[in-house]
Amino acid sequence: MEAINNNFKWAEATGEAKFIADRSYPNLLHARFFRSSCPRGRIRELNAPPLPEGYAFFSAKDIPGDNVIPNVRTDMPAFAEDEVRYVGQPIGLLVGPDLKVIDQLLSQIQVDYQPQPPILTLDDAMAQQHPTILEDGNLFDHNQINKGDLDAGWAQATTIVEETLNTGHQEHTYLETQGLVGYIEDGKVTIEGTMQCPWYVHHTMHTVLASDDVQVRQCPTGGAFGGKEDWPDVLAGPLAVAVNALKQPVRLILDRQEDIACTSKRHPLRIHYRTGLNDDGKIVAMEINVEVNGGAYFTLSGIVLQRSMSTATNVYDIPNVQVKGRAWALNTVPNGAFRGFGAPQNCFAMETHMSHLAKKVGQDPVAFKQAHLLNSDSTSLTGAPMHQNLVLETMLEKITRSSGYLQKRASFGKAGDNQKLRGIGMALFQHGCGFAGDLEDTLVKAKVRLLKNSDDTLHIHASNTDIGQGLSLTFRKIVSRTLNVPLETVNYYHPDTGIVPDSGPTVASRSIVIVGYLLEKAAKKMKQNWCSGLAQCIEEVYEKPDYHNWDQEKFIGNAYQVTSYGINALEVEIDPVTYEIKIVDAWGVFDIGKAIDPEVFKGQIDGGMVQAMGYGSLEKLQLTADGRFAQTTMADYTIPTSMDVPHIHSELVDNPYDYGPLGAKGGGELTHNGAAAALVNAVEHALSRSIQAIPVTPESLMEACYEA
């Protein structure tokens, strides 16, 4: 395994790091997918041209095991065989020594489709008109949460407000596109590349090859943001089939245009609110309907739906609530994991709705939200006690003071000397750490290993990956501080499934709070039994805290083991002619327990907030009439550049968590959850207009203002 210890991120900063495209392999072949050009249809016939010597074409008939990508459900094939459900779906894999020749041969492959009418919008999916995508309709998943007595709440309501809010797709735009290389090593089909979850890839290879002789290694990974959670599996299944047949190294790397067109995106959500307020302006009843665009296959849509539902009321203690949620199948690229996993969508919607309710009762949005905040004595939406100290009031006081919110809220919202319109907005948010419900205990069962050599150097064996978030440093600091040994004596590696146990995937803000805690426990045991000069090994397996209970059928209990919290404020300036938005300043206050390395987490804050600003204002993906994305390159899918980034003032609130390593909770996803909502609140303040959808582009603002 490759150690990535000292001089933290030095190899990446200097260009010395060997990403998958930088690596050399003897007798290397290249691969390209042959993809569907039809959004929906039956495959009647597939014909490939005669291939030159040294070239090979693989399709469903060449799979020795099962033709599935194993995920939460096994509905997605490795190669489309009988039907295609979206433009870009892999049908075959062409392999050979020359990419130019491969591209020429791909253009000669022909498919005879029997087209079917594609379902490309939520409305079409919900209409359930035949032919439906699934055998029994278009519904992937559904659930319901009830809190309190909704009928009693409506009986108290004197004002009822209804509105619908919408979010769009978001592209991950990681620096390094999807890429893997496969080869035979010691009789095993081995795959290495850019990924988040090596054991996911291992499971996929095992499934398609029907063999245990498989191995997976993570390479330095140029960003992921969830896009490399399950999508490397989509590359790895077909690639493993080719390598197994050819017994020769094969590299499969997507170019940027293919990556944008064909990989998973953030789930678009439509959320409808019906809210009742009493004469005192307090919320007494709320009905929330969450509709999730899942795309062509289930992938992770059910888990995104569960997070969106279980956190639907965000940081607020609403006494009587009903949440209904549904995830729908459409003939578009499957939507999957993206930093926040449903929470940024929900945060935008709930925070915006709360601001609109505040306007309805004549209150400042922050004052209205403060009156509804959760506290340490509250009961969660899913009926559980808080089981942690909530410091939202302290956080709110800090950011109100540091941002000058009250003064700016009073003076902004009208043209200044330069005729620019200015506004300030604020958003409160949360993120549950770890997998939803009881999955950490019943499904994942994370395992770690801590080894000590006879020279007293230590080795961390865990499957969690450093994908830019600094895990290679924070894991080592947990062990180093717990054992009180020099940091340079603790080693961490890019995970290799042939060596490390399955400690679960690098997702869901679980790496620190779940796996880091296991490493701390292992280090404590080793400290108690330390024998200098002798090799030692300690293993730890996850056990849930005593307080953590969950009923998956009733959706009752602790939706997450613990929750992290944040507040963002943004100040904006809007050109009244072009409606361009300039973010002038930004603030963030976060409760992640106790930060293991504040400098590392500062990187998460800055990166997460900027990514969320882009999500809220710039990043627009539109579907064409045949189910393709209209934005095809970085020239027309716009993300923030350094010129768009304001100074970000941030601070942490110390609030140690008893079941977290060194008192830490998770935080990597939390930092993405609030800035889009804060931006919308600031824009509404500047323009005195209500907004119902993101991204808020100049075109959408101009249209809304002219219509008004």
Side-chain angles (χ1 to χ4, degrees):
M1 295 194 294
E2 295 176 67
I4 49 174
N5 292 357
N6 300 319
N7 298 319
F8 177 60
K9 298 298 179 185
W10 182 255
E12 288 87 345
T14 60
E16 296 173 8
K18 296 293 184 184
F19 295 88
I20 195 63
D22 303 320
R23 297 177 175 234
S24 298
Y25 303 84
N27 304 312
L28 179 67
L29 301 174
H30 302 279
R32 287 262 202 265
F33 279 119
F34 175 73
R35 298 180 178 277
S36 167
S37 59
C38 173
R40 185 184 184 192
R42 309 295 299 180
I43 297 176
R44 289 191 283 220
E45 192 173 5
L46 171 64
N47 292 308
L51 299 177
E53 184 178 350
Y55 292 82
F57 182 70
F58 298 92
S59 62
K61 63 181 177 57
D62 301 299
I63 294 179
D66 295 330
N67 183 23
V68 297
I69 303 296
N71 205 299
V72 178
R73 292 183 187 171
T74 54
D75 62 335
M76 184 192 296
F79 288 119
E81 186 172 9
D82 301 317
E83 65 167 352
V84 291
R85 289 193 188 176
Y86 67 95
V87 172
Q89 184 170 355
I91 297 174
L93 187 73
L94 190 57
V95 180
D98 190 325
L99 278 170
K100 290 184 179 179
V101 175
I102 289 174
D103 289 337
Q104 292 170 358
L105 293 170
L106 284 173
S107 66
Q108 299 172 39
I109 299 174
Q110 295 182 336
V111 181
D112 181 17
Y113 297 107
Q114 180 183 347
Q116 293 179 298
I119 295 171
L120 301 177
T121 68
L122 268 176
D123 287 335
D124 288 345
M126 293 162 66
Q128 301 275 30
Q129 295 178 351
H130 289 281
T132 56
I133 296 173
L134 312 176
E135 288 185 5
D136 54 353
N138 296 318
L139 187 63
F140 276 139
D141 201 3
H142 64 95
N143 223 309
Q144 183 169 321
I145 296 173
N146 296 296
K147 177 186 177 183
D149 185 336
L150 196 61
D151 289 337
W154 288 124
Q156 301 171 48
T158 54
T159 301
I160 295 175
V161 178
E162 290 196 58
E163 69 174 334
T164 302
L165 296 114
N166 292 276
T167 68
H169 288 96
Q170 187 182 16
E171 161 65 24
H172 297 87
T173 331
Y174 24 64
L175 282 171
E176 179 193 25
T177 59
Q178 302 273 356
L180 303 174
V181 172
Y183 50 86
I184 304 294
E185 182 179 272
D186 298 330
K188 292 184 177 183
V189 177
T190 302
I191 280 180
E192 62 183 29
T194 180
M195 64 183 74
Q196 292 179 233
C197 310
W199 278 100
Y200 279 15
V201 176
H202 187 280
H203 187 35
T204 293
M205 295 167 64
H206 165 80
T207 300
V208 298
L209 297 181
S211 171
D212 290 324
D213 290 329
V214 296
Q215 191 162 335
V216 181
R217 297 186 178 112
Q218 185 227 6
C219 290
T221 295
F225 311 118
K228 295 173 185 172
E229 175 179 346
D230 60 327
W231 212 256
D233 301 9
V234 177
L235 279 67
L239 181 62
V241 171
V243 172
N244 185 59
L246 299 172
K247 313 299 182 187
Q248 196 170 337
V250 182
R251 180 153 58 198
L252 174 58
I253 297 180
L254 307 189
D255 63 28
R256 182 64 68 179
Q257 192 163 346
E258 183 180 15
D259 202 299
I260 291 175
C262 302
T263 63
S264 63
K265 305 290 179 271
R266 183 183 295 284
H267 288 77
L269 263 63
R270 176 190 298 172
I271 304 181
H272 181 80
Y273 297 91
R274 183 171 184 261
T275 301
L277 303 104
N278 65 16
D279 286 335
D280 296 325
K282 291 294 294 288
I283 300 172
V284 291
M286 184 176 280
E287 292 179 20
I288 306 172
N289 287 288
V290 181
E291 311 290 355
V292 176
N293 173 345
Y297 293 97
F298 188 81
T299 64
L300 302 166
S301 296
I303 305 173
V304 169
L305 175 67
Q306 181 165 338
R307 185 176 287 274
S308 298
M309 293 179 62
S310 60
T311 60
T313 50
N314 197 17
V315 297
Y316 305 111
D317 193 349
I318 312 300
N320 308 297
V321 188
Q322 181 185 79
V323 185
K324 293 182 178 179
R326 299 181 292 185
W328 298 94
L330 284 78
N331 292 118
T332 59
V333 171
N335 296 311
F338 201 132
R339 189 180 198 173
F341 222 78
Q345 299 97 306
N346 175 70
C347 178
F348 152 71
M350 184 62 177
E351 286 297 284
T352 302
H353 182 57
M354 291 291 284
S355 295
H356 295 171
L357 294 175
K359 185 177 180 180
K360 183 75 174 179
V361 299
Q363 293 185 30
D364 174 80
V366 169
F368 181 78
K369 293 172 182 178
Q370 188 172 13
H372 291 87
L373 280 181
L374 291 165
N375 58 57
S376 299
D377 297 323
S378 296
T379 299
S380 73
L381 173 62
T382 52
M386 290 293 103
H387 288 297
Q388 60 177 314
N389 181 36
L390 264 64
V391 291
L392 286 167
E393 291 279 3
T394 299
M395 295 166 66
L396 188 57
E397 188 276 328
K398 282 180 175 291
I399 200 167
T400 301
R401 184 181 66 250
S402 62
S403 66
Y405 175 85
L406 295 176
Q407 300 90 325
K408 292 173 182 177
R409 194 77 187 183
S411 62
F412 289 177
K414 50 185 178 291
D417 294 338
N418 61 359
Q419 299 303 304
K420 297 292 178 73
L421 302 170
R422 304 194 77 171
I424 188 168
M426 194 180 291
L428 295 85
F429 49 96
Q430 51 71 45
H431 197 86
C433 304
F435 274 122
D438 59 0
L439 292 179
E440 290 287 353
D441 182 54
T442 59
L443 179 66
V444 182
K445 281 288 185 186
K447 181 179 182 180
V448 302
R449 184 183 305 123
L450 185 61
L451 296 175
K452 183 173 77 65
N453 291 338
S454 58
D455 63 359
D456 290 349
T457 58
L458 294 139
H459 300 266
I460 294 169
H461 283 191
S463 62
N464 301 86
T465 55
D466 191 322
I467 50 179
Q469 82 281 38
L471 203 63
S472 57
L473 181 59
T474 49
F475 269 5
R476 292 171 58 231
K477 284 196 169 186
I478 290 167
V479 173
S480 168
R481 291 179 186 174
T482 305
L483 285 168
N484 194 25
V485 299
L487 184 65
E488 57 267 23
T489 66
V490 184
N491 297 283
Y492 169 86
Y493 307 89
H494 290 295
D496 180 332
T497 61
I499 299 173
V500 303
D502 186 354
S503 47
T506 309
V507 302
S509 296
R510 64 181 297 278
S511 294
I512 293 296
V513 78
I514 302 294
V515 183
Y517 187 55
L518 292 180
L519 287 172
E520 183 186 54
K521 289 174 71 176
K524 285 180 177 178
K525 285 185 179 179
M526 185 164 284
K527 188 173 185 177
Q528 291 172 352
N529 300 282
W530 184 276
C531 294
S532 184
L534 292 178
Q536 293 175 271
C537 177
I538 301 288
E539 290 187 343
E540 281 289 334
V541 179
Y542 176 80
E543 294 180 0
K544 68 178 182 178
D546 293 340
Y547 69 80
H548 189 210
N549 297 293
W550 178 255
D551 186 322
Q552 181 63 26
E553 290 187 7
K554 297 179 180 179
F555 255 49
I556 293 175
N558 303 98
Y560 298 93
Q561 179 176 307
V562 69
T563 298
S564 297
Y565 295 91
I567 306 177
N568 287 165
L570 261 65
E571 183 180 328
V572 303
E573 190 176 78
I574 301 175
D575 188 307
V577 177
T578 65
Y579 287 91
E580 291 175 282
I581 302 169
K582 178 183 178 181
I583 301 172
V584 177
D585 231 336
W587 296 264
V589 177
F590 300 91
D591 163 22
I592 58 164
K594 190 171 182 62
I596 295 168
D597 189 314
E599 286 301 311
V600 167
F601 194 69
K602 172 64 174 170
Q604 291 289 288
I605 292 170
D606 291 353
M609 287 183 66
V610 170
Q611 197 170 37
M613 293 173 202
Y615 177 51
S617 63
L618 294 173
E619 301 183 34
K620 188 171 187 177
L621 272 176
Q622 299 165 294
L623 284 170
T624 62
D626 63 352
R628 303 171 192 266
F629 290 116
Q631 290 73 22
T632 60
T633 68
M634 295 299 295
D636 48 15
Y637 183 78
T638 309
I639 65 171
T641 70
S642 58
M643 298 295 289
D644 301 302
V645 178
H647 181 71
I648 297 173
H649 316 261
S650 60
E651 56 184 312
L652 304 175
V653 175
D654 238 15
N655 187 26
Y657 171 53
D658 290 342
Y659 295 90
L662 308 178
K665 299 188 284 189
E669 291 179 281
L670 174 77
T671 60
H672 191 302
N673 288 358
L679 182 141
V680 168
N681 189 224
V683 171
E684 289 189 333
H685 180 218
L687 296 179
S688 298
R689 296 277 184 272
S690 293
I691 292 169
Q692 273 77 35
I694 53 174
V696 185
T697 62
E699 294 85 357
S700 67
L701 286 181
M702 190 176 295
E703 183 177 332
C705 289
Y706 277 117
E707 282 182 359

